[in-house]
Amino acid sequence: MRVLMLEGGIPDRLVRTTLPRLVLVPVVFRLAMLVQALWAAGFSGPSVLWTFAVLHLVPNVAEAIWVLRGSPAGTRLVPVADAGFTALVTLGAALPAQDLTITSITWTHLMGTVMLWTLLRGALAGALVVGGGVVLHSVLDPASSLGLFLTLATALVASLAVVGLVGASMRFALGFGEQQGRAAERERHRRDVHDTVLQVMESFAIPAPADELDPAASLDRVRRTARAQAMRLRISLEHEPAGPVGLHQRLRLLAAEMAAEGLRAEVVVQDDCGPELPEETAMALHDAAREALRNTLKHSGTRRAVVSVEGIGGGISLTVRDHGAGFDVGDRRRGFGLENSIIARMAEVGGFARIESSPGLGTRVVLLAPSVLSLPVG
């Protein structure tokens, strides 16, 4: 199976994780057929039948436990141990008088062995087990060799079908995951461009009183802002952060960034609030708050805002409040910034955003995020 799946481009780590679980296929098959055989015998057979039933049951349960514990040695040793035990069961079944139920159990065990070797070692190994089983059984009961061969060949074909289905399912899942990942990466790229380059360019277009009073100073401010943003982008592209940056520090840097662009943002953080937040959550809160503050700078008509952070049950609440012009939330169409830079960003970390505003009464953006990520981000 390893060869078939890796040829399809499936990572080796995923194959190693999935491969041992395939032992459950022959184990479940054997147990189901055991129940059927005992049911057909009326659960009242001789003691020798129940002896074979127990011998059939115990190793199958042991195989499942051994492999599911995650030991790499289990995948290597289980097929060998299983084949040896199957040979003993086949020899033992020839000692008592012929019993159709015991024969059914023995054949079921042989079929499970063929399936096990085919799933874990490939078609050639399964074919060799078929040949060995037929040879062993022909010595004990030559009359049934053809029937056993057809039965074991059916188990081999069924196992190959399982291999094909599992491989196709894994390839489909990987392809779908890659497609979704590329779409999410494109969306994150669009959001980053919107939140950095586009926002800075729009801030340059916002008129300021100093433009007419002191054009040289205004031009210098634009240049300094452009230079600072270019440096920030270069650092983010070329260097990874030395360590996690907490929400407190991010918000302080955000307030300084907004001050340079003409918005005074007062940051109020509750004591011991948010120091242990995951890096992804702190980044999402910071970036969503920055988008809200940029909207205040562009649309509210005020140069003041308040950012407050407090702990809530199992998470963090961050509020951006201004007393500017406000707007009618019901009438205004949500743009890219609200939908992607705020609402979608919070949804990625398992939180949500609420925008409250009315004409003349300012705007309040409430960001809620859990303190623990339930799913990985990115």
Side-chain angles (χ1 to χ4, degrees), residues 306-359:
V306 177
V307 179
S308 58
V309 183
E310 61 179 337
I312 57 175
I316 294 295
S317 173
L318 187 152
T319 302
V320 180
R321 182 76 166 92
D322 70 65
H323 294 281
F327 62 95
D328 191 329
V329 178
D331 291 343
R332 183 170 177 177
R333 184 180 65 85
R334 290 178 175 177
F336 185 94
L338 288 180
E339 287 289 351
N340 293 272
S341 297
I342 297 181
I343 297 175
R345 177 172 276 128
M346 297 309 302
E348 284 184 356
V349 295
F352 67 93
R354 184 173 68 248
I355 293 94
E356 303 170 355
S357 184
S358 296

Side-chain angles (χ1 to χ4, degrees), residues 83 86 110 113-115 117-118 123-135 152:
T86 301
L110 275 168
T113 302
V114 172
M115 296 172 71
W117 278 82
T118 304
L124 178 59
L128 292 176
V129 173
V130 170
V134 171
V135 170
L152 297 185

Side-chain angles (χ1 to χ4, degrees), residues 279-290:
E279 179 76 3
E280 295 86 355
T281 302
M283 183 182 301
L285 287 168
H286 165 271
D287 292 346
R290 180 175 61 185

Side-chain angles (χ1 to χ4, degrees), residues 218-235:
S218 293
L219 179 59
D220 183 62
R221 176 182 63 84
V222 170
R223 287 173 173 168
R224 282 187 285 106
T225 302
R227 190 179 302 113
Q229 291 296 326
M231 180 62 68
R232 176 182 171 184
L233 286 174
R234 184 176 293 109
I235 292 175

Side-chain angles (χ1 to χ4, degrees), residues 186-215:
R186 285 195 299 269
E187 192 61 32
R188 281 193 292 269
H189 177 69
R190 292 177 62 216
R191 180 193 300 156
D192 291 340
V193 171
H194 173 273
D195 293 353
T196 54
V197 178
L198 181 60
Q199 291 285 17
V200 172
M201 294 178 68
E202 288 182 342
S203 70
F204 291 162
I206 298 175
D211 292 347
E212 296 182 3
L213 299 176
D214 192 351

